[in-house]
Amino acid sequence: MDFITVIGAGLAGVEAANIITKFGIKVKLYEMKPKKFTPAHHHEGFAELVCSNSLKSKLITNASGLLKEEMKVFNSIIMEAADYSSVEAGQALAVDRNIFSNYITDKLKNNKLIEVINDEVEEIPKDKMVIVATGPLTSEALLNDISRLLKQDNLYFFDAASPILTKESVDFSKAFFASRYQKGDDDYINCPMTKDEYLRFYNELINSEKIEVHDFEKDLLFEGCMPIEEMALRGVDTIRFGPLKPKGIIDPKTGKMPYAVVQLRKENKEGTLYNLVGFQTRLKWPEQKRVFRLIPGLENAEFVRYGVMHKNSYINSPKVLSKYLNLKEYPNIFFAGQITGVEGYIESASTGIIAGINASLILKGKQPIILPSTTCIGALIHYITEERENFQPMNSNYGIISVNEEISKMKDKDQRKIKIADKSLLTCRETYNIIKTLF
């Protein structure tokens, strides 16, 4: 029987492997863990979540919410696992990382059509149907091979992960549970700050010791995952209008809105661990302990994992990838996930679905598909494969989704987004129904 090689068992890789087997095709899934780990990975299982345990909004009026619903149409294993491992997070979909990863790992390892090979791939097989889904932390050897294959220098940016601490170490004589504008359940821990407390924290933050990066790398931080200390350097109130914004939060002890507030989000089902929302960082570990303990309520915080900064690599997709996500020069080689320039967990996973579908179609001598840009997945793929001078990573958002004139004239923004979502999901269902008839 024919097979497809998938390199990498991250979010995109597991989606690709999963959808391929839906068509009765065998998969050879290569994953270098547990033999070798990247600097940011620690868990042995597949689809490890590194930056955050949140998969963003569940609301259909948010592009991330629409993207999740589209993925469900295509039998997404990521969404299946997320529903199984979810933890309370208000209007966001957050998961217990270990349960999430273990669920996917068990499913794929018990799939008779998938052969898991725990080895590092240092060179892409040029004579096979292959999907490269090695993520932003691709190993140096494989990255060098990709660079040779694409005849270009590697593009890269930096990503950062937030610290995680224990709930029991939070001082609830100062912190309190609440949700912004009292919407949903009180799922977030809130640490309020007075003006004096905020200014003290701010000054220590911007003057703290950070992990050094080369001068030519300092401007390559992606806006969607900006380290808290880099954001703070833009102005004294920048983070107070960003991750520390107090709007919609009332301190029950004062009955007033704080000057600033730090929010903590549940990290695991048991609710014993919480992460600092928006606190991606490249502060040195001793500095993280010192500076973040200046936050009221976190004076004795017990950090079980400090924030980390790591190099993320991605290819110049508009130049080298077709709309099908395969290389223009090597049609049998597909790329999926963050290495293509999509940014975000769900975005990465969604490209794995499309790469898996198109690799399967080509393997069987069928015409690959292009989801229209009226869908969220289609719009993302259109964005990363459309020729542009300054290619930067992109999250899902309604701004990149194509709409007709009738929808564009709708004044109510939420109703307009609902209309876009309805049309998008109908397109996805019709497309997937057609795909299933081809196998």
Side-chain angles (χ1 to χ4, degrees):
M1 182 186 288
D2 294 327
F3 68 89
I4 295 174
T5 298
V6 177
I7 306 174
L11 297 171
V14 299
E15 286 286 22
N18 180 64
I19 195 74
I20 291 167
T21 63
K22 298 291 184 186
F23 308 131
I25 299 171
K26 285 186 176 180
V27 174
K28 288 191 176 183
L29 178 60
Y30 284 84
E31 171 55 52
M32 68 182 187
K33 294 190 304 183
K35 288 186 177 180
K36 183 177 180 179
F37 287 83
T38 73
H41 289 88
H42 309 281
H43 188 63
E44 291 188 3
F46 300 162
E48 180 181 357
L49 302 180
V50 174
C51 272
S52 167
N53 70 323
S54 173
L55 303 183
K56 297 184 181 178
S57 178
K58 295 183 286 190
L59 299 178
I60 201 73
T61 49
N62 185 293
S64 180
L66 171 57
L67 186 56
K68 294 180 187 65
E69 293 303 314
E70 290 181 358
M71 290 170 63
K72 289 179 182 177
V73 172
F74 293 99
N75 291 315
S76 163
I77 191 170
I78 294 297
M79 294 312 304
E80 185 182 319
D83 288 340
Y84 179 80
S85 61
S86 64
V87 299
E88 297 86 353
Q91 296 173 338
L93 175 59
V95 302
D96 182 303
R97 298 178 203 240
N98 290 339
I99 296 175
F100 174 82
S101 174
N102 292 340
Y103 180 93
I104 294 169
T105 305
D106 291 343
K107 277 272 186 177
L108 295 194
K109 284 189 172 180
N110 288 309
N111 188 324
K112 294 180 180 179
L113 291 176
I114 297 177
E115 177 188 358
V116 177
I117 304 166
N118 291 118
D119 273 322
E120 178 185 0
V121 175
E122 297 184 348
E123 186 175 343
I124 299 172
K126 312 300 188 295
D127 58 345
K128 295 180 175 64
M129 189 66 69
V130 59
I131 298 173
V132 181
T134 48
L137 302 177
T138 299
S139 67
E140 185 176 357
L142 185 57
L143 201 58
N144 288 336
D145 185 60
I146 291 170
S147 184
R148 288 191 295 269
L149 183 71
L150 303 184
K151 302 180 180 64
Q152 65 174 47
D153 293 333
N154 288 302
L155 304 176
Y156 57 93
F157 64 100
F158 277 96
D159 207 353
S162 299
I164 299 170
L165 51 82
T166 62
K167 176 188 173 184
E168 65 180 4
S169 67
V170 178
D171 181 357
F172 283 97
S173 70
K174 299 177 181 179
F176 58 91
F177 281 96
S179 61
R180 207 174 293 277
Y181 302 107
Q182 292 81 49
K183 289 185 177 180
D185 297 326
D186 294 339
D187 295 330
Y188 290 81
I189 295 174
N190 297 267
C191 299
M193 288 182 169
T194 64
K195 184 175 181 179
D196 287 343
E197 289 168 337
Y198 173 79
L199 291 175
R200 181 189 177 204
F201 169 77
Y202 172 81
N203 287 324
E204 292 299 322
L205 180 65
I206 62 173
N207 291 302
S208 58
E209 289 188 73
K210 305 165 187 68
I211 296 172
E212 290 299 321
V213 293
H214 297 296
D215 288 341
F216 66 89
E217 297 169 332
K218 289 180 179 177
D219 295 328
L220 298 176
L221 298 165
F222 177 54
E223 287 289 336
C225 206
M226 179 68 65
I228 186 76
E229 64 274 6
E230 295 291 336
M231 194 184 302
L233 287 171
R234 296 180 173 183
V236 68
D237 285 322
T238 302
I239 58 174
R240 202 167 67 86
F241 287 95
L244 276 73
K245 66 181 178 184
K247 197 172 182 181
I249 300 291
I250 299 298
D251 186 341
K253 297 175 183 63
T254 64
K256 298 178 180 179
M257 184 178 74
Y259 187 77
V261 65
V262 174
Q263 288 197 307
L264 280 66
R265 181 173 53 222
K266 188 182 290 188
E267 176 68 28
N268 60 352
K269 271 188 176 292
E270 294 79 15
T272 57
L273 301 177
Y274 278 74
N275 60 63
L276 275 69
V277 178
F279 271 65
Q280 301 91 348
T281 181
R282 62 182 180 89
L283 266 63
K284 292 182 178 180
W285 288 3
E287 286 290 80
Q288 291 185 41
K289 185 176 182 179
R290 181 184 69 82
V291 175
F292 297 155
R293 280 186 167 184
L294 295 175
I295 298 168
L298 303 187
E299 290 89 349
N300 297 303
E302 178 189 356
F303 294 97
V304 298
R305 176 173 156 183
Y306 289 106
V308 295
M309 190 99 187
H310 48 81
K311 176 181 174 180
N312 281 357
S313 303
Y314 63 98
I315 64 174
N316 190 351
S317 292
K319 187 174 182 180
V320 300
L321 284 188
S322 79
K323 300 290 184 184
Y324 307 124
L325 294 180
N326 57 351
L327 292 176
K328 296 173 183 177
E329 192 171 342
Y330 300 90
N332 61 306
I333 299 176
F334 288 76
F335 279 79
Q338 260 185 278
I339 196 169
T340 66
V342 293
E343 173 58 27
Y345 289 149
I346 298 301
E347 291 86 343
S348 298
S350 69
T351 61
I353 293 173
I354 303 304
I357 289 172
N358 282 336
S360 300
L361 287 168
I362 292 177
L363 185 72
K364 294 299 184 181
K366 309 291 185 179
Q367 177 65 29
I369 60 106
I370 298 176
L371 268 180
S373 56
T374 52
T375 66
C376 197
I377 298 175
L380 272 171
I381 294 175
H382 177 78
Y383 181 89
I384 65 170
T385 56
E386 184 181 38
E387 288 282 350
R388 63 185 70 249
E389 287 185 11
N390 183 28
F391 177 53
Q392 294 293 326
M394 176 57 68
N395 292 104
S396 59
N397 62 85
Y398 270 100
I400 63 173
I401 300 175
S402 299
V403 297
N404 59 34
E405 188 175 354
E406 177 188 354
I407 293 176
S408 67
K409 289 182 177 180
M410 294 178 66
K411 294 183 178 180
D412 188 297
K413 290 182 179 180
D414 283 348
Q415 288 302 313
R416 183 167 69 237
K417 290 175 181 178
I418 290 171
K419 190 78 171 179
I420 294 170
D422 288 343
K423 183 176 180 181
S424 170
L425 291 171
L426 178 61
T427 299
C428 287
R429 292 188 194 101
E430 291 175 344
T431 302
Y432 194 40
N433 286 336
I434 291 171
I435 290 168
K436 287 186 286 188
T437 67
L438 301 176
F439 291 94

